[in-house]
Amino acid sequence: MEKDITLRKLESNADMRLIQQLEREVWDMSPVPTHQTFTASKNGGILVGAFDGEKLVGYCYGFAGFQDGKTYLCSHMMGILPAYQSMGIGKRLKLEQRSIAKQMGYDLITWTFDPLESRNAHLNTSKLFGISRTYIEDCYGEMDDGLNRGLPTDRLQIEWWISSGRVERSWTPDIAKYVNPFAISRSPSGFPVLQLPEKDLPEAAEGIEVPVPQDFQAIKKQDPVLALDWRMKIRSVFQSLFEAGFAVIGVRKAEAGVHYYQFVSIDTIPLQPIERGDQQ
C-alpha cells in the first residue's frame, strides 16, 4: 500500500535528534553532532525531512558553501530508511531542497556520490538533471561503515544548476547513438567485468557511454577483488573523459546487470540561469 509521506523543513533541536536516529540505522556509523546540524540550519543550511506520520523516514542535509567567490549549497547527506527506499522519496526530498534553495537565493547545489552506485547516479543525473565533471580520488579516506568499508572512497561531484536551462527545461542532448568502446565479460560468479578498449577513448564523439554494475554492493560483498578492479578502471576512464572536456549527463538503465553512464561535451550543456520571463 502506498504510504502518505509528508515533507517539511527540519529546524529544531528535537528534529536534529531525529536525524541522528535515522543516520545510525541507515549507515551504521556515528551520527553528525546535533549542535553542528542545528547551527547549519540557522546559517544558510537546509535540512528537509520526509515523515510517515510522526516518524522521520528520510532526510537531506546541506550547508552553505563558498569557493572562488561563488556561494552555493553543499548537500552533504541524504538518507532513507531501507523499508522506504525505491518509493521516490529521494527525488521528492531533492526537489523540496531545490525549491527552498531558490527562495534563499542559491543557484547551485553540489554533492558527492560513489560513481559505482548506479541507482544514485540515475537519480542525480537522469531524474534531477545534475551533471558531473569532477572525479575525486579517495575523497574521505578509509571509512569503516557498511557502505564504504574496504575500498577507496572515490566520488563524483554533482553540480545541480537549479535555475539553468538544463534543470528548468529537463534538457537532454539530442544524440542518436552514443559510442560504447567497452566490452563486458563475466566472472565465475556471473558478475560483470569491465574490459577496457585497446585504443584511446574517442574524444571526437558526440556522446560516449561507460558501463557500470547495476548492483555494486553485491560485488563488494561477494568478490572484493573484482570490486577493486571496477573502482580502478572506472577511475581511469572517468578522469580521462573529464580531462577531454566531457561531463556526465545521464544514466541509461539496461539489462544483464549493467547500466551505462552517458557523457557529452560540457560546452553543449545549458548551465546558465534562465531569466524569469524566459521559462517556456
Side-chain angles (χ1 to χ4, degrees):
M1 183 175 65
E2 186 173 337
K3 297 180 181 294
D4 184 18
I5 303 298
T6 59
L7 304 183
R8 68 168 174 83
K9 287 183 71 174
L10 303 172
E11 300 179 283
S12 69
N13 279 302
D15 288 338
M16 305 306 127
R17 289 191 288 273
L18 291 178
I19 291 173
Q20 287 194 319
Q21 295 172 17
L22 188 144
E23 286 182 43
R24 292 188 182 98
E25 187 168 347
V26 172
W27 290 296
D28 186 27
M29 66 180 188
S30 298
V32 178
T34 58
H35 61 77
Q36 202 282 332
T37 50
F38 180 75
T39 302
S41 74
K42 303 302 179 186
N43 294 275
I46 300 173
L47 294 90
V48 182
F51 288 83
D52 182 2
E54 297 298 317
K55 179 181 180 181
L56 181 68
V57 300
Y59 88 110
C60 64
Y61 158 46
F63 53 82
F66 184 83
Q67 185 174 7
D68 298 329
K70 173 68 178 176
T71 302
Y72 57 93
L73 183 73
C74 179
S75 186
H76 183 52
M77 303 179 83
M78 182 168 75
I80 300 168
L81 293 178
Y84 291 81
Q85 294 175 5
S86 301
M87 294 172 55
I89 294 175
K91 182 179 180 180
R92 287 185 61 192
L93 284 168
K94 296 302 292 185
L95 291 178
E96 182 67 13
Q97 180 190 56
R98 173 180 176 245
S99 177
I100 298 170
K102 290 183 70 174
Q103 294 172 18
M104 294 175 64
Y106 290 109
D107 63 7
L108 173 63
I109 303 176
T110 70
W111 64 92
T112 61
F113 73 101
D114 188 331
L116 289 168
E117 295 293 344
S118 58
R119 182 171 63 177
N120 291 347
H122 186 260
L123 169 64
N124 294 338
T125 59
S126 295
K127 290 187 175 182
L128 297 177
F129 300 98
I131 69 160
S132 180
R133 51 182 161 177
T134 305
Y135 192 101
I136 308 172
E137 292 187 18
D138 204 19
C139 181
Y140 300 111
E142 184 176 353
M143 298 179 70
D144 198 37
D145 63 282
L147 291 177
N148 297 291
R149 187 179 297 115
L151 280 178
T153 53
D154 289 15
R155 295 292 184 266
L156 285 181
Q157 179 170 297
I158 284 288
E159 300 172 28
W160 199 20
W161 294 94
I162 58 177
S163 298
S164 68
R166 161 69 172 163
V167 175
E168 293 281 7
R169 294 172 175 162
S170 303
W171 180 92
T172 55
D174 184 16
I175 296 176
K177 184 177 178 58
Y178 285 80
V179 174
N180 177 12
F182 304 93
I184 294 291
S185 60
R186 294 287 163 176
S187 72
S189 300
F191 290 124
V193 180
L194 181 63
Q195 305 296 327
L196 297 178
E198 294 182 2
K199 300 180 180 180
D200 292 337
L201 296 175
E203 296 182 9
E206 278 191 288
I208 297 175
E209 286 194 333
V210 179
V212 290
Q214 179 180 348
D215 189 356
F216 186 56
Q217 288 300 318
I219 297 177
K220 286 177 63 176
K221 292 176 182 177
Q222 300 181 44
D223 194 340
V225 174
L226 178 58
L228 182 60
D229 182 71
W230 269 106
R231 173 69 85 216
M232 302 313 292
K233 287 178 179 175
I234 287 298
R235 176 190 289 183
S236 174
V237 170
F238 277 48
Q239 287 178 334
S240 295
L241 287 171
F242 289 158
E243 289 174 4
F246 286 86
V248 171
I249 200 75
V251 173
R252 178 174 65 87
K253 290 187 174 182
E255 299 177 353
V258 179
H259 293 163
Y260 292 85
Y261 273 94
Q262 296 177 320
F263 289 76
V264 300
S265 171
I266 186 66
D267 295 334
T268 65
I269 306 171
L271 299 180
Q272 295 301 314
I274 293 179
E275 299 298 330
R276 288 182 178 271
D278 188 26
Q279 294 292 319
Q280 300 299 322

